[in-house]
Amino acid sequence: MIRCLLNVNIIPQTEELSEYKLVVAPMMYMLKPETTVRLKEYIQKGGQLLATYVTGYVDQNQLCYLGGFPGDGLKDVFGVISEEIDTFYPTDRNQVTLWDGSKAQVRDYAELLRVQEDVRILGQYDADFYQGMPAVTEHSYGAGTVCYVVARMESQANRRILELLVSRSGLDLPKLPEGVEYHVREAGGER
C-alpha cells in the first residue's frame, strides 16, 4: 500500500488564508467575528475549502444563527442548508457511495441537506430514509470551490475526498511506502 502525507499548518480562524491552496475546517461549530468574511474572500479568489457537518452553528457567544446552518451567510457560499443533524447510537450505521463508486460506512453524525441547483453531489447516502440524499457536496463560489462532507465516514473515504481536493489544488503530494513518514520544516527562509 502506498500512503500520501501532506504537511499541514493548524491555524486559528483569525489567520489570513490567502497563502493556502487548500483549507480544511472540520466541525467548525463556532464562528468568530470576520471568519465568514475571510472564508468568502479566500474562496472567491480561487481557494479550496473542505468543511464538515456541524459547521457554523453558533457565533462566538454560543448563540445559534437564525435562518439555517451553516450560519452567518455560509449557507450561500456552501450552496446547502443543513435541515437536520442525527446522532447515531453506537451500533447505528449507514453507508455512502462516493463519485468513484467506492463505499464508506457512516457512524456518529449525519446531516440532512437541502441543496441549491448548482451544487454537485459527490456522494449519496445508501440506506434508511436518507437514501439518495447528498452526503458529500461541492459548490463553486467565485473562482474557488467548497466541498462539504455531511457525515462522519470511514478514513478511506476522507482520504479519497482529500486526495481529490489536493490534486485540484496543485499541492505536491509525495507517495510513500507504508511505515514511512516525510516532513518538511521551514523557518526563517530555511528548509
Side-chain angles (χ1 to χ4, degrees):
M1 172 186 226
I2 301 282
R3 288 193 323 160
C4 299
L5 289 178
L6 192 63
N7 285 310
V8 299
N9 292 336
I10 298 174
I11 61 173
Q13 290 183 24
T14 55
E15 182 86 12
E16 171 60 39
L17 301 174
S18 62
E19 70 178 271
Y20 297 102
K21 294 181 180 180
L22 173 63
V23 172
V24 179
M27 296 179 74
M28 192 167 55
Y29 175 73
M30 179 185 291
L31 298 178
K32 293 186 177 184
E34 301 300 316
T35 298
T36 298
V37 171
R38 194 172 281 106
L39 287 172
K40 281 182 178 180
E41 288 174 358
Y42 168 75
I43 298 162
Q44 281 179 324
K45 293 178 181 175
Q48 306 289 313
L49 174 67
L50 171 61
T52 70
Y53 52 94
V54 191
T55 290
Y57 276 42
V58 300
D59 66 14
Q60 69 176 357
N61 298 309
Q62 290 278 8
L63 298 174
C64 278
Y65 288 107
L66 301 178
F69 308 117
D72 199 26
L74 286 179
K75 62 182 178 273
D76 298 325
V77 178
F78 291 14
V80 302
I81 293 177
S82 174
E83 295 189 321
E84 180 180 333
I85 186 162
D86 284 347
T87 54
F88 290 5
Y89 288 109
T91 56
D92 289 347
R93 296 287 185 269
N94 202 323
Q95 185 172 276
V96 167
T97 300
L98 296 175
W99 71 93
D100 61 0
S102 63
K103 307 256 184 205
Q105 257 196 8
V106 172
R107 60 182 173 79
D108 299 331
Y109 298 100
E111 282 184 338
L112 303 174
L113 295 183
R114 182 171 7 122
V115 299
Q116 294 177 3
E117 286 183 21
D118 59 343
V119 168
R120 292 172 297 287
I121 308 300
L122 300 180
Q124 294 181 326
Y125 291 109
D126 290 345
D128 206 4
F129 70 93
Y130 305 82
Q131 187 173 6
M133 297 179 89
V136 182
T137 64
E138 183 178 63
H139 185 245
S140 296
Y141 187 79
T145 58
V146 176
C147 181
Y148 191 61
V149 178
V150 305
R152 182 171 287 171
M153 295 185 287
E154 294 174 298
S155 61
Q156 82 268 11
N158 295 327
R159 184 178 305 143
R160 285 191 189 321
I161 294 165
L162 272 172
E163 286 174 349
L164 174 69
L165 297 177
V166 165
S167 69
R168 288 183 183 172
S169 300
L171 293 166
D172 182 32
L173 222 122
K175 298 209 181 293
L176 304 169
E178 188 67 32
V180 174
E181 291 188 15
Y182 169 86
H183 299 278
V184 175
R185 299 193 195 272
E186 296 180 41
E190 297 293 321
R191 186 176 178 155

mmCIF file of all heavy atoms in Angstrom, residues 103-122:
data_model
loop_
_atom_site.group_PDB
_atom_site.id
_atom_site.type_symbol
_atom_site.label_atom_id
_atom_site.label_comp_id
_atom_site.label_asym_id
_atom_site.label_seq_id
_atom_site.Cartn_x
_atom_site.Cartn_y
_atom_site.Cartn_z
ATOM 1 N N LYS A 103 -17.501 2.849 -1.479
ATOM 2 C CA LYS A 103 -18.491 2.908 -0.409
ATOM 3 C C LYS A 103 -17.787 3.211 0.911
ATOM 4 O O LYS A 103 -16.641 2.828 1.107
ATOM 5 C CB LYS A 103 -19.221 1.578 -0.275
ATOM 6 C CG LYS A 103 -19.822 1.083 -1.574
ATOM 7 C CD LYS A 103 -21.280 1.294 -1.576
ATOM 8 C CE LYS A 103 -21.884 0.711 -2.846
ATOM 9 N NZ LYS A 103 -23.115 1.362 -3.178
ATOM 10 N N ALA A 104 -18.495 3.881 1.812
ATOM 11 C CA ALA A 104 -17.943 4.190 3.132
ATOM 12 C C ALA A 104 -19.047 4.099 4.165
ATOM 13 O O ALA A 104 -20.164 4.566 3.932
ATOM 14 C CB ALA A 104 -17.341 5.581 3.143
ATOM 15 N N GLN A 105 -18.714 3.518 5.294
ATOM 16 C CA GLN A 105 -19.663 3.465 6.403
ATOM 17 C C GLN A 105 -19.757 4.811 7.096
ATOM 18 O O GLN A 105 -18.764 5.524 7.230
ATOM 19 C CB GLN A 105 -19.213 2.415 7.421
ATOM 20 C CG GLN A 105 -19.993 1.165 7.336
ATOM 21 C CD GLN A 105 -19.806 0.291 8.571
ATOM 22 O OE1 GLN A 105 -19.199 0.681 9.562
ATOM 23 N NE2 GLN A 105 -20.338 -0.902 8.487
ATOM 24 N N VAL A 106 -20.966 5.138 7.539
ATOM 25 C CA VAL A 106 -21.233 6.358 8.296
ATOM 26 C C VAL A 106 -21.546 5.952 9.728
ATOM 27 O O VAL A 106 -22.268 4.993 9.966
ATOM 28 C CB VAL A 106 -22.439 7.116 7.706
ATOM 29 C CG1 VAL A 106 -22.853 8.279 8.586
ATOM 30 C CG2 VAL A 106 -22.142 7.575 6.297
ATOM 31 N N ARG A 107 -20.984 6.724 10.675
ATOM 32 C CA ARG A 107 -21.277 6.489 12.093
ATOM 33 C C ARG A 107 -21.346 7.841 12.800
ATOM 34 O O ARG A 107 -20.924 8.855 12.262
ATOM 35 C CB ARG A 107 -20.219 5.597 12.730
ATOM 36 C CG ARG A 107 -18.830 6.175 12.676
ATOM 37 C CD ARG A 107 -17.778 5.239 13.274
ATOM 38 N NE ARG A 107 -16.455 5.740 13.065
ATOM 39 C CZ ARG A 107 -15.877 6.709 13.780
ATOM 40 N NH1 ARG A 107 -16.519 7.278 14.763
ATOM 41 N NH2 ARG A 107 -14.662 7.114 13.500
ATOM 42 N N ASP A 108 -21.889 7.861 13.951
ATOM 43 C CA ASP A 108 -21.936 9.003 14.869
ATOM 44 C C ASP A 108 -22.819 10.172 14.425
ATOM 45 O O ASP A 108 -23.730 10.550 15.129
ATOM 46 C CB ASP A 108 -20.534 9.529 15.194
ATOM 47 C CG ASP A 108 -19.661 8.504 15.863
ATOM 48 O OD1 ASP A 108 -20.204 7.631 16.566
ATOM 49 O OD2 ASP A 108 -18.430 8.560 15.692
ATOM 50 N N TYR A 109 -22.518 10.812 13.287
ATOM 51 C CA TYR A 109 -23.240 12.016 12.870
ATOM 52 C C TYR A 109 -23.629 11.933 11.400
ATOM 53 O O TYR A 109 -22.858 11.447 10.570
ATOM 54 C CB TYR A 109 -22.375 13.272 13.020
ATOM 55 C CG TYR A 109 -21.943 13.563 14.423
ATOM 56 C CD1 TYR A 109 -20.670 13.224 14.854
ATOM 57 C CD2 TYR A 109 -22.807 14.177 15.325
ATOM 58 C CE1 TYR A 109 -20.256 13.492 16.146
ATOM 59 C CE2 TYR A 109 -22.405 14.453 16.621
ATOM 60 C CZ TYR A 109 -21.127 14.102 17.024
ATOM 61 O OH TYR A 109 -20.732 14.370 18.309
ATOM 62 N N ALA A 110 -24.813 12.469 11.101
ATOM 63 C CA ALA A 110 -25.256 12.552 9.711
ATOM 64 C C ALA A 110 -26.220 13.722 9.575
ATOM 65 O O ALA A 110 -27.239 13.780 10.259
ATOM 66 C CB ALA A 110 -25.931 11.249 9.284
ATOM 67 N N GLU A 111 -25.874 14.662 8.701
ATOM 68 C CA GLU A 111 -26.757 15.797 8.436
ATOM 69 C C GLU A 111 -27.632 15.482 7.226
ATOM 70 O O GLU A 111 -27.248 14.728 6.344
ATOM 71 C CB GLU A 111 -25.945 17.064 8.133
ATOM 72 C CG GLU A 111 -25.384 17.736 9.341
ATOM 73 C CD GLU A 111 -24.676 19.044 9.014
ATOM 74 O OE1 GLU A 111 -24.245 19.266 7.867
ATOM 75 O OE2 GLU A 111 -24.537 19.854 9.938
ATOM 76 N N LEU A 112 -28.784 16.116 7.210
ATOM 77 C CA LEU A 112 -29.690 16.051 6.064
ATOM 78 C C LEU A 112 -29.707 17.436 5.435
ATOM 79 O O LEU A 112 -29.943 18.430 6.131
ATOM 80 C CB LEU A 112 -31.092 15.652 6.512
ATOM 81 C CG LEU A 112 -31.173 14.330 7.269
ATOM 82 C CD1 LEU A 112 -32.575 14.092 7.784
ATOM 83 C CD2 LEU A 112 -30.725 13.194 6.392
ATOM 84 N N LEU A 113 -29.457 17.484 4.129
ATOM 85 C CA LEU A 113 -29.275 18.770 3.448
ATOM 86 C C LEU A 113 -30.377 19.085 2.450
ATOM 87 O O LEU A 113 -30.943 18.196 1.824
ATOM 88 C CB LEU A 113 -27.966 18.766 2.647
ATOM 89 C CG LEU A 113 -26.657 18.655 3.372
ATOM 90 C CD1 LEU A 113 -25.523 18.750 2.362
ATOM 91 C CD2 LEU A 113 -26.506 19.712 4.442
ATOM 92 N N ARG A 114 -30.579 20.374 2.274
ATOM 93 C CA ARG A 114 -31.276 20.907 1.115
ATOM 94 C C ARG A 114 -30.194 21.603 0.299
ATOM 95 O O ARG A 114 -29.417 22.398 0.853
ATOM 96 C CB ARG A 114 -32.349 21.906 1.547
ATOM 97 C CG ARG A 114 -33.144 22.448 0.391
ATOM 98 C CD ARG A 114 -34.350 23.285 0.810
ATOM 99 N NE ARG A 114 -34.471 23.570 2.224
ATOM 100 C CZ ARG A 114 -34.529 24.807 2.732
ATOM 101 N NH1 ARG A 114 -34.439 25.862 1.955
ATOM 102 N NH2 ARG A 114 -34.662 24.989 4.031
ATOM 103 N N VAL A 115 -30.097 21.307 -0.985
ATOM 104 C CA VAL A 115 -29.007 21.857 -1.804
ATOM 105 C C VAL A 115 -29.551 22.787 -2.891
ATOM 106 O O VAL A 115 -30.661 22.608 -3.377
ATOM 107 C CB VAL A 115 -28.150 20.738 -2.457
ATOM 108 C CG1 VAL A 115 -27.501 19.867 -1.407
ATOM 109 C CG2 VAL A 115 -28.972 19.889 -3.399
ATOM 110 N N GLN A 116 -28.724 23.775 -3.255
ATOM 111 C CA GLN A 116 -29.053 24.654 -4.372
ATOM 112 C C GLN A 116 -28.894 23.880 -5.678
ATOM 113 O O GLN A 116 -28.201 22.863 -5.734
ATOM 114 C CB GLN A 116 -28.120 25.866 -4.389
ATOM 115 C CG GLN A 116 -28.285 26.785 -3.223
ATOM 116 C CD GLN A 116 -27.275 27.938 -3.258
ATOM 117 O OE1 GLN A 116 -26.485 28.089 -4.182
ATOM 118 N NE2 GLN A 116 -27.305 28.753 -2.220
ATOM 119 N N GLU A 117 -29.507 24.384 -6.746
ATOM 120 C CA GLU A 117 -29.469 23.704 -8.039
ATOM 121 C C GLU A 117 -28.060 23.545 -8.596
ATOM 122 O O GLU A 117 -27.773 22.578 -9.291
ATOM 123 C CB GLU A 117 -30.327 24.461 -9.056
ATOM 124 C CG GLU A 117 -31.806 24.299 -8.833
ATOM 125 C CD GLU A 117 -32.624 25.007 -9.890
ATOM 126 O OE1 GLU A 117 -32.097 25.285 -10.990
ATOM 127 O OE2 GLU A 117 -33.805 25.274 -9.609
ATOM 128 N N ASP A 118 -27.167 24.476 -8.308
ATOM 129 C CA ASP A 118 -25.829 24.439 -8.895
ATOM 130 C C ASP A 118 -24.820 23.631 -8.072
ATOM 131 O O ASP A 118 -23.629 23.629 -8.378
ATOM 132 C CB ASP A 118 -25.305 25.846 -9.144
ATOM 133 C CG ASP A 118 -25.228 26.691 -7.871
ATOM 134 O OD1 ASP A 118 -25.856 26.325 -6.864
ATOM 135 O OD2 ASP A 118 -24.541 27.727 -7.900
ATOM 136 N N VAL A 119 -25.275 22.932 -7.067
ATOM 137 C CA VAL A 119 -24.397 22.105 -6.228
ATOM 138 C C VAL A 119 -24.200 20.748 -6.906
ATOM 139 O O VAL A 119 -25.150 20.135 -7.384
ATOM 140 C CB VAL A 119 -25.010 21.929 -4.819
ATOM 141 C CG1 VAL A 119 -24.279 20.860 -4.024
ATOM 142 C CG2 VAL A 119 -24.987 23.249 -4.077
ATOM 143 N N ARG A 120 -22.949 20.293 -6.936
ATOM 144 C CA ARG A 120 -22.638 18.965 -7.462
ATOM 145 C C ARG A 120 -22.620 17.968 -6.302
ATOM 146 O O ARG A 120 -22.046 18.244 -5.249
ATOM 147 C CB ARG A 120 -21.289 18.973 -8.179
ATOM 148 C CG ARG A 120 -21.313 19.796 -9.474
ATOM 149 C CD ARG A 120 -19.952 19.984 -10.098
ATOM 150 N NE ARG A 120 -18.997 20.724 -9.285
ATOM 151 C CZ ARG A 120 -19.022 22.045 -9.053
ATOM 152 N NH1 ARG A 120 -19.980 22.781 -9.551
ATOM 153 N NH2 ARG A 120 -18.096 22.623 -8.322
ATOM 154 N N ILE A 121 -23.214 16.829 -6.520
ATOM 155 C CA ILE A 121 -23.274 15.785 -5.494
ATOM 156 C C ILE A 121 -22.117 14.818 -5.746
ATOM 157 O O ILE A 121 -22.042 14.190 -6.797
ATOM 158 C CB ILE A 121 -24.618 15.027 -5.531
ATOM 159 C CG1 ILE A 121 -25.809 15.997 -5.491
ATOM 160 C CG2 ILE A 121 -24.679 13.989 -4.411
ATOM 161 C CD1 ILE A 121 -25.888 16.879 -4.295
ATOM 162 N N LEU A 122 -21.205 14.696 -4.770
ATOM 163 C CA LEU A 122 -20.059 13.795 -4.876
ATOM 164 C C LEU A 122 -20.262 12.496 -4.099
ATOM 165 O O LEU A 122 -19.460 11.573 -4.220
ATOM 166 C CB LEU A 122 -18.784 14.483 -4.373
ATOM 167 C CG LEU A 122 -18.356 15.748 -5.101
ATOM 168 C CD1 LEU A 122 -17.079 16.308 -4.481
ATOM 169 C CD2 LEU A 122 -18.175 15.492 -6.579
#
